[in-house]
């Protein structure tokens, strides 16, 4: 199987391209843009990962025949993946408890805390917050990650369905689903009484297994194989979902998720996903 080595970053210097071409034994070098290069016929040799880390470049070995049009589903996490913020941390900021909530979020995403328990603790700290804070976070603070719209447009053109999975809140996923034309979503539902958050969620908590179960449900509905799934996440609670996918991508991810994924995008935007396909 012929492999291509995809190199991505803010910019790929000629000296780095020359070094990586030699390290990988590539037959041909294609510069697709200032920040994207594809090395044809590259071999997975020692030193490539270390060189890219020093040069602040993303890299990935991809099969020559892999096409985006052959995929059937893109599943993507919301907080710190599709969007650049953690919504619960921003809600906590408005409630005056951001430091406490952010610390719990970081521990949960690194796999140091059980996700369901961490969510209960964090949501509990939001008790009494006016529900108007949800709209404030969406309108004033929520931003898409770089390259998100470019990626999604290409995904749609290829006929690939989209699933937004989140251990966050449906207030945000449903708005993003409508705004971006996504096909499926799953998230936690905040309990609200008399216009204020109660500090609880409605129903079961969307944890790692719930994310993976939703992915399997959509997969079966579409009648596709795991090999036709792309899954993108950043934290420990994305690992079960990513394990179900033929192509797993860690985006700006914690160490645990990065180590388990097929590819990591630390420097390219989400549109870098497209370069992993011919």
């Amino acid at each position: 199987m012929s492999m291509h080595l995809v190199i991505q970053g803010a910019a790929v210097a000629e000296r780095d391209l020359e070094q990586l071409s030699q390290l990988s034994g590539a037959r041909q070098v294609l510069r697709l843009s200032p920040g994207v290069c594809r090395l044809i016929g590259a071999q997975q040799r020692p030193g490539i990962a270390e060189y890219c880390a020093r040069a602040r470049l993303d890299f990935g070995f991809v099969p020559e025949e892999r096409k985006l049009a052959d995929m059937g589903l893109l599943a993507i996490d919301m907080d710190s993946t599709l969007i650049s913020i953690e919504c619960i941390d921003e809600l906590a900021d408005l409630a005056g408890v951001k430091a406490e909530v952010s610390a719990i979020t970081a521990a949960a995403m690194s796999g140091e805390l059980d996700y369901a328990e961490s969510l209960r603790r964090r949501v509990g700290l939001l008790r009494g917050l006016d529900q108007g804070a949800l709209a404030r976070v969406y309108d004033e603070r929520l931003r898409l990650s770089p390259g998100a719209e470019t990626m999604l447009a290409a995904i749609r053109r290829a006929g690939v369905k989209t699933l937004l999975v989140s251990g966050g809140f449906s207030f945000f996923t449903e708005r993003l689903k409508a705004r971006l034309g996504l096909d499926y979503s799953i998230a936690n539902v905040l309990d609200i009484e008399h216009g204020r958050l109660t500090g609880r969620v409605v129903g079961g908590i969307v944890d790692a297994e719930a994310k993976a179960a939703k992915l399997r449900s959509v997969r079966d509905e579409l009648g596709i194989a795991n090999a036709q799934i792309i899954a993108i996440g950043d934290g420990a609670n994305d690992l079960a979902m990513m394990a179900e996918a033929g192509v797993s991508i860690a985006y700006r991810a914690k160490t645990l998720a990065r180590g388990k994924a097929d590819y990591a995008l630390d420097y390219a935007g989400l549109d870098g996903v497209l370069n992993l396909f011919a």
Side-chain angles (χ1 to χ4, degrees):
M1 179 189 299
S2 179
M3 300 293 285
H4 294 180
L5 173 57
V6 176
I7 304 296
Q8 306 188 69
V12 182
E14 283 299 326
R15 64 181 181 277
D16 293 331
L17 198 52
E18 291 172 7
Q19 287 295 317
L20 288 166
S21 178
Q22 291 179 14
L23 277 173
S24 66
R27 297 194 311 270
Q28 182 183 1
V29 176
L30 299 179
R31 181 177 284 279
L32 306 180
S33 74
V36 183
C37 299
R38 183 175 281 252
L39 280 61
I40 310 300
Q43 300 175 47
Q44 300 186 44
R45 293 175 173 172
I48 294 172
E50 293 78 8
Y51 188 96
C52 288
R54 290 194 301 272
R56 298 178 63 81
L57 295 170
D58 296 322
F59 76 97
F61 285 91
V62 300
E64 181 179 31
E65 68 276 8
R66 179 190 285 159
K67 310 292 183 186
L68 189 60
D70 293 332
M71 308 307 286
L73 177 66
L74 169 75
I76 184 167
D77 175 54
M78 181 177 71
D79 293 285
S80 297
T81 307
L82 181 63
I83 63 175
S84 62
I85 64 169
E86 291 282 338
C87 291
I88 195 167
D89 290 0
E90 300 307 315
L91 289 170
D93 187 35
L94 297 179
V97 291
K98 185 170 185 178
E100 297 96 310
V101 168
S102 294
I104 299 171
T105 299
M109 292 302 98
S110 298
E112 298 169 18
L113 281 179
D114 173 73
Y115 187 82
E117 177 58 27
S118 79
L119 187 71
R120 291 188 190 97
R121 288 169 56 185
R122 287 178 288 164
V123 172
L125 289 168
L126 300 180
R127 181 179 179 182
L129 182 64
D130 189 287
Q131 67 177 1
L134 296 165
R136 282 190 60 191
V137 168
Y138 184 83
D139 294 336
E140 300 172 11
R141 304 190 180 196
L142 187 149
R143 299 290 183 272
L144 297 176
S145 292
E149 289 178 292
T150 299
M151 177 192 70
L152 291 172
I155 288 289
R156 281 193 294 272
R157 288 195 299 271
V160 179
K161 297 297 184 181
T162 48
L163 165 63
L164 180 58
V165 289
S166 179
F169 307 122
S170 60
F171 180 93
F172 303 103
T173 57
E174 290 308 302
R175 282 159 178 75
L176 288 167
K177 181 181 176 184
R179 169 180 164 187
L180 300 172
L182 306 178
D183 298 296
Y184 305 90
S185 67
I186 184 174
N188 296 294
V189 179
L190 284 167
D191 187 44
I192 298 173
E193 292 181 359
H194 308 299
R196 295 189 177 277
L197 277 61
T198 67
R200 301 185 298 272
V201 296
V202 178
I205 288 177
V206 178
D207 58 7
E209 180 49 39
K211 286 185 175 188
K214 180 66 175 180
L215 182 147
R216 290 191 295 267
S217 174
V218 173
R219 174 202 64 194
D220 293 346
E221 179 182 332
L222 296 175
I224 61 174
N226 281 16
Q228 294 174 275
I229 300 172
I230 308 164
I232 310 172
D234 74 311
N237 66 327
D238 296 315
L239 292 178
M241 168 186 80
M242 292 164 68
E244 299 279 352
V247 178
S248 61
I249 301 167
Y251 180 76
R252 304 291 195 273
K254 314 302 181 291
T255 301
L256 183 62
R258 187 185 295 111
K260 297 285 187 179
D262 297 321
Y263 304 102
L265 295 180
D266 295 322
Y267 307 107
L270 281 174
D271 51 338
V273 171
L274 305 175
N275 297 316
L276 300 174
F277 298 84

